[in-house]
Amino acid sequence: MSRLVNSVKSFSTTASSLLSDATAASVRPPSFKVCRDVPSIRGLRRQLLQKERTVGFVPTMGAIHEGHLSLIRAAARENTDIFVSIFVNPTQFGVTEDLSSYPRTWDADVEKLEKLNEELERLGENSASAGRITAIFAPTSKAMYPCLPPSSEVDGHGSFVTITPLSTKLEGASRPVFFRGVATVCMKLFNITTPDRVYFGQKDVQQTVVIKRMVKDFHIGTEVRIIETTREHDGLALSSRNVYLGDRRRTVGLTIYKALKAAENAYLTGKTSREDILGAAQSVAQSVLAQQQGLSPSERALYEVDYISLADPDTLDELETVEPTKGAVLSTAFKMAPLEETNAGEDCGLGDGKVPVRLIDNLILHPRA
Ligand code: PAF
């Protein structure tokens, strides 16, 4: 046991040593460990198990926002300890995708998690059930993929988890390695952290369906919790990629939510056919696009609708009619094109409006009582 504890000490770093000096000076002593490799987080997990504590695990790729914090708050309500992973997983990015430009905001992430721990500590003063973040697991690629360099090629070599046909639908149709990468890294993370419960956001609905299927099919001993999407005041779903939008694309990008709400409204007012429900969403998406096309390149933001789907909640098979006792998943993806022309002083977002932004969102059509 003492060897185990020593190895935890030697392999883990504290949060403050990874913060910039200026930031570190202004914060309290770190309230969680930062583990960079597998033995250190495993050692910590074993200690917690021996003390009969429970672990809730929140996997992230960093760029922590309010959506992630809501997952951690949910984990804190039912676990004594929370592990948060920060790992930009290369295998879920296709060869032409934005791995190198994915936002990496380590200092800000650590600061947000420290602040959240302070909040959880205050809550804990009034309730015995509030857990805390105990560790950030921020492994290297080599730690996560120890044998072969991680491959993003569709036919690349490696040890992969594939969940078909779920992974080939919707997002998987245009991102063929995405869910293989997500399932593979989550299997590794679950094996390493052996959490009692794992927390995912509803925003990535297909990811939640794939993970639930993987946990069931591989008999993984963890409970999967899905937490409602966190939205901005006007309904735009929070996403790490929103920082690339800028004002103009953000305003137009809200159409994704408006289109889903129109379809939801059709269902809530009694419609059950695909034509009626998806027709409502398509008409919003098309009319806004037509308006934008009528504007000049320096005023407009163009997009392409990748898909609007009405699908079974468990299989993601497309539905012709919603069975009201079962409900459905309504989901969509919009590709916001780079801005064609920008204006002096305009907020064009990170990357100056040149980065294409894929927006995804969904609403659950709940079973009718
Ligand atoms: O949702 C994400 O941020 C990622 O897909 C996840 C689950 C952390 C796996 O890399």
Side-chain angles (χ1 to χ4, degrees), residues 182-209:
V182 169
T184 300
V185 81
C186 286
M187 176 71 95
K188 288 167 186 266
L189 290 167
F190 296 177
N191 283 340
I192 293 165
T193 59
T194 60
D196 294 282
R197 299 174 192 90
V198 292
Y199 295 80
F200 287 85
Q202 179 64 51
K203 154 116 191 327
D204 297 301
V205 67
Q206 190 173 1
Q207 174 166 278
T208 68
V209 178

Side-chain angles (χ1 to χ4, degrees), residues 58-62 68 85 87-89 92 102 178 181-183 185-186 189 199-201 204 207 211 240:
V58 180
T60 83
M61 296 207 296
H68 297 116
S85 65
F87 178 64
V88 182
N89 173 37
Q92 69 192 73
Y102 195 85
F178 181 67
V182 169
V185 81
C186 286
L189 290 167
Y199 295 80
F200 287 85
D204 297 301
Q207 174 166 278
I211 295 297
S240 306

